[in-house]
Amino acid sequence: MNRIRSLALPIAVTLTAGALSALAAGTARAADVNVARNGGFESGLANWSCTGGTGASVSSPVYAGSGALKATPAGQDNARCSQTVTVKPNSTYTLSTQVQGSYVYLGATGTGTQDVSTWTPGSGAGWQKLSTTFTTGPSTTQVTVYTHGWYGQPAYVVDEFSVFGPDGGGGTDPGPSVPGAPAGAAVSGQSANALTLSWNAVGSATGYHVYQDGVRVKTVTGGASTQITGLTASTSYSFQVSAYNAAGEGPKSAPVTGTTTGTDPGPGPGPAVPKHALTGYWQNFDNGATVQKISDVSAQYDIIAVSFADATTTPGAITFNLDSAGLGGYTVAQFKADIAAKKAAGKSVILSIGGEKGTISVGDSASANNLANSAYALMQEYGFTGIDIDLENGLNPTYMTQALRSLSSKVGSSLVITMAPQTIDMQSTQGGYFKTALNIKDILTVVNMQYYNSGSMNGCDGKVYSQGSVDFLTALACIQLEGGLDPSQVGIGVPASPSGAGSGYVSPTIVNNALDCLTRGTSCGSFKPSKTYPGLRGAMTWSTNWDAKAGSAWSNSVGPKVHGLP
């Protein structure tokens, strides 16, 4: 319009009603801004109000920039943090934010039409986007937007809070500038088919684009490193990285070159898991249990789950770091050779993902692909024959299913997939773990639920059973057996000794009684299943190290029982 006014001659313009409407709509879209102030929490809690002093500005974790909001519910306070934004009447706004934590809410009140809210039951340790829209009423000029947690839940974290729509005249945050070029690009973690690329984070970046030989091959958010997979052995590659945010993409970094190692024969097909199998977790750390090499693990164990994979700064991606120092100088070469020897003996050695302190989160397609690609690269590098899912902060069944099916397509039918959910995760087929198990039933090896550190739980007959008894093992296993899993996909997971868990230890005799009850209908307690399940896969323990510490009493008793099942 300024250009029209500057012309020397007047111009007559005639617009139809439809054209005027289209122009108005186009103008509204073009004028959309973020009417929230300090939505990135770069200025602490300025413009925000949190109930009961429950909120604080933190520098970690953050989704972007240098700050985020962390708020902790306390008692009857759900840690509600809010601000009032200035809006235009009769206008539509998009409300969104990135969150971490359990039961995080996002909403708006005072809209003049219908107040809105949305929430997530949990995003694990990764970031998850919440988003909703609202429309203002004919006289609405201010709306309160908020986020909060839930009673009795731990702290939640929020970052990049935005309310996009027409400018209501209340002022907005200044727009970001294009970020600079990342420095410090370096290549590490070479294998025959993969390289790890890292760089220094750029403070104003929302994410990064990775270029391989001049071609963009990957976009990374939430970190400053990534694994590049699917490469050719003994080949050099050139990489560059650029940072981007809402203002656009910045310049590329200086190029860095990486070269893959020589031809790797890969893991080869894994041995078939026996009809009845004993699973044991092997500890890649020293916590007072017997320190073992893979070669030290008892021959009773058919599946050895190496604990644990490590998270990377790339969402969903994993790596593995052998604790050579903590394990008495156990070298990577010895570790790989021991895995190969176990495979030659008919055993499966798999990599466990998660554990009590695991921080891997798969909440979107990108992180699902990252998990599949990185897991496959580790299988090729070390000779693992599969993976174990032991995420104790919940999982997203949609994207975990995607990740496991993607990995299966790369490995083939020899892939071993095990899961180790907590008892609460398998109480209902609507739970994330149970859904995932059913989603991948055609490629799933076994679910070894952890019947410990649990307390009381419902059995399949609706009665409540306390851990530490044969009834607890059989009545809870029945839920899985009657909920859709094949008996060959159900195993009983217990501690190898009282030192292996905080609670729930049962003697090997109790485990063997439960196995007999479920497969033969004998040695039951007060609960007796309506039918037998002779195809039951077997049992699992945490851990081979605690078993060794106790003189291998668990594997020497439960192993023969499992291998002698019908």
Side-chain angles (χ1 to χ4, degrees):
M1 294 178 67
N2 288 335
R3 287 195 296 270
I4 292 176
R5 283 201 298 269
S6 69
L7 293 175
L9 296 175
I11 296 178
V13 180
T14 302
L15 294 176
T16 64
L20 283 169
S21 176
L23 178 62
T27 302
R29 285 193 296 270
D32 280 358
V33 296
N34 181 11
V35 299
R37 301 298 302 273
N38 190 30
F41 302 97
E42 305 303 307
S43 301
L45 295 187
N47 303 102
W48 290 91
S49 175
C50 297
T51 56
T54 53
S57 175
V58 295
S59 58
S60 179
V62 298
Y63 182 80
S66 60
L69 164 69
K70 183 175 183 179
T72 307
Q76 297 301 307
D77 191 334
N78 61 10
R80 185 178 190 268
C81 295
S82 62
Q83 76 167 265
T84 299
V85 297
T86 303
V87 295
K88 276 190 173 183
N90 296 319
S91 301
T92 298
Y93 291 82
T94 298
L95 173 64
S96 67
T97 190
Q98 296 285 341
V99 303
Q100 279 193 34
S102 301
Y103 298 95
V104 188
Y105 288 71
L106 172 71
T109 61
T111 63
T113 56
Q114 182 176 0
D115 292 347
V116 298
S117 68
T118 186
W119 64 288
T120 174
S123 59
W127 289 98
Q128 180 178 349
K129 185 176 182 178
L130 285 179
S131 182
T132 188
T133 61
F134 64 86
T135 301
T136 56
S139 59
T140 303
T141 57
Q142 288 190 320
V143 170
T144 298
V145 293
Y146 65 85
T147 182
H148 67 73
W150 198 247
Y151 310 103
Q153 298 295 316
Y156 67 93
V157 186
V158 169
D159 200 1
E160 297 303 291
F161 195 104
S162 63
V163 187
F164 272 97
D167 188 354
T172 62
D173 281 339
S177 59
V178 174
V187 171
S188 62
Q190 289 94 335
S191 70
N193 307 104
L195 296 168
T196 298
L197 179 67
S198 61
W199 56 91
N200 296 339
V202 178
S204 61
T206 301
Y208 304 90
H209 296 311
V210 176
Y211 293 83
Q212 175 183 315
D213 295 329
V215 177
R216 185 192 294 181
V217 294
K218 203 167 190 180
T219 296
V220 178
T221 58
S225 70
T226 188
Q227 187 177 56
I228 311 296
T229 59
L231 305 178
T232 302
S234 302
T235 304
S236 293
Y237 297 89
S238 176
F239 299 100
Q240 290 177 284
V241 184
S242 67
Y244 70 87
N245 58 21
E249 180 181 3
K252 297 184 182 71
S253 67
V256 61
T257 300
T259 304
T260 52
T261 59
T263 301
D264 188 335
V273 175
K275 178 181 178 181
H276 300 297
L278 196 71
T279 301
Y281 285 80
W282 175 86
Q283 298 176 188
N284 181 37
F285 50 85
D286 180 6
N287 65 347
T290 299
V291 172
Q292 290 184 313
K293 297 179 173 65
I294 292 293
S295 56
D296 297 329
V297 175
S298 168
Q300 292 288 350
Y301 291 99
D302 304 291
I303 302 174
I304 302 168
V306 171
S307 309
F308 293 99
D310 297 307
T312 73
T313 55
T314 300
I318 58 172
T319 188
F320 177 73
N321 299 292
L322 184 68
D323 184 12
S324 296
L327 302 181
Y330 194 19
T331 68
V332 172
Q334 290 176 307
F335 178 70
K336 291 180 179 179
D338 287 348
I339 290 175
K342 283 292 184 182
K343 288 171 61 177
K347 311 298 183 182
S348 295
V349 183
I350 63 177
L351 179 60
S352 183
I353 301 170
E356 178 187 3
K357 299 180 180 179
T359 57
I360 293 92
S361 179
V362 179
D364 53 31
S365 291
S367 56
N369 289 331
N370 291 339
L371 175 58
N373 291 337
S374 57
Y376 182 60
L378 292 171
M379 290 180 67
Q380 290 181 305
E381 182 177 357
Y382 290 95
F384 299 123
T385 54
I387 61 173
D388 169 69
I389 305 301
D390 184 19
L391 299 174
E392 298 187 4
N393 294 308
L395 54 78
N396 184 307
T398 299
Y399 296 111
M400 182 56 71
T401 297
Q402 177 186 325
L404 295 175
R405 289 207 172 277
S406 176
L407 181 60
S408 177
S409 70
K410 299 174 187 293
V411 178
S413 60
S414 64
L415 177 66
V416 175
I417 301 176
T418 69
M419 303 173 76
Q422 300 171 100
T423 53
I424 189 66
D425 296 319
M426 301 300 286
Q427 284 278 286
S428 167
T429 56
Q430 297 306 303
Y433 252 106
F434 216 141
K435 280 186 177 180
T436 302
L438 295 175
N439 287 348
I440 63 165
K441 186 175 177 180
D442 57 314
I443 58 173
L444 173 66
T445 306
V446 62
V447 175
N448 291 304
M449 189 173 77
Q450 302 175 43
Y451 294 74
Y452 51 95
N453 293 339
S454 169
S456 300
M457 286 287 162
N458 289 325
C460 66
D461 58 355
K463 296 181 180 179
V464 176
Y465 295 94
S466 299
Q467 65 179 5
S469 66
V470 66
D471 288 332
F472 188 77
L473 304 181
T474 54
L476 269 67
C478 175
I479 296 176
Q480 300 169 63
L481 292 162
E482 295 301 310
L485 293 181
D486 188 84
S488 67
Q489 296 172 321
V490 177
I492 295 175
V494 294
S497 75
S499 301
S503 64
Y505 170 75
V506 292
S507 70
T509 300
I510 295 297
V511 179
N512 291 345
N513 287 344
L515 293 170
D516 279 335
C517 179
L518 292 168
T519 59
R520 298 184 171 97
T522 62
S523 303
C524 299
S526 62
F527 172 81
K528 186 171 183 177
S530 59
K531 60 181 179 181
T532 59
Y533 309 91
L536 192 81
R537 180 67 77 175
M540 170 274 282
T541 196
W542 177 269
S543 61
T544 65
N545 306 74
W546 285 116
D547 183 28
K549 181 81 169 181
S552 299
W554 192 89
S555 57
N556 286 340
S557 176
V558 180
K561 171 62 70 173
V562 165
H563 298 137
L565 291 174

